[in-house]
Amino acid sequence: MFEELSLVRMASAMARHATARHSVIAENVANADTPGYRARDVKAFSEYVNEPFTPQATRPGHMAFGAQGGGLNVEKIFDPMSQASGNGNAVSLESEMLKSVEAQGQHALATTIYRKVHDLMRMGLGRGG
């Protein structure tokens, strides 16, 4: 029941997006000294939210009961703001640090939404605290 609330689904997708972005940022930082490496990022979460939804059955009978799939498939893109240095590397540690702070804030927002929905449900059941 809890997972069927659209707000919770949105918060879950937001947390998965933040996690994927942290992963890409970690790859960028790990390759900061690799000659020719180009920094990557993921599309903004708002772009995923505004994409038209096309449900896809992954196995026979998958959507027989009206269940909608819709996992968040985060694709890596080259960071258009990155500029190559002398060895062709296009990773700026300062930029990666700022992106990491943004992703951390996005994840914190998602967990706050979970917590508030949980608190509201407890209050609705008379078990508020």
Side-chain angles (χ1 to χ4, degrees):
M1 178 182 119
F2 188 66
E3 295 81 19
E4 299 209 10
L5 297 171
S6 62
L7 185 61
V8 174
R9 282 196 313 262
M10 182 71 69
S12 176
M14 183 183 288
R16 285 192 311 274
H17 180 270
T19 300
R21 190 162 192 215
H22 270 296
S23 176
V24 171
I25 292 166
E27 288 176 20
N28 290 342
V29 171
N31 287 292
D33 289 334
T34 304
Y37 183 83
R38 291 180 55 197
R40 294 183 173 96
D41 203 353
V42 295
K43 292 192 305 185
F45 182 68
S46 60
E47 291 183 40
Y48 287 105
V49 172
N50 294 327
E51 283 182 355
F53 176 72
T54 307
Q56 297 177 351
T58 57
R59 62 187 180 280
H62 176 224
M63 304 209 358
F65 300 105
Q68 294 184 355
L72 185 68
N73 297 319
V74 179
E75 63 180 273
K76 296 178 189 177
I77 58 173
F78 287 108
D79 187 356
M81 300 303 291
S82 63
Q83 296 180 350
S85 64
N87 67 356
N89 186 296
V91 176
S92 164
L93 293 178
E94 293 84 4
S95 174
E96 297 306 311
M97 184 173 65
L98 291 174
K99 288 191 268 182
S100 179
V101 170
E102 289 174 1
Q104 181 181 4
Q106 180 180 343
H107 194 272
L109 176 61
T111 56
T112 299
I113 291 170
Y114 277 130
R115 189 171 40 254
K116 295 301 178 184
V117 168
H118 180 262
D119 292 347
L120 286 172
M121 291 181 74
R122 286 181 54 87
M123 282 179 25
L125 294 171
R127 300 177 189 166

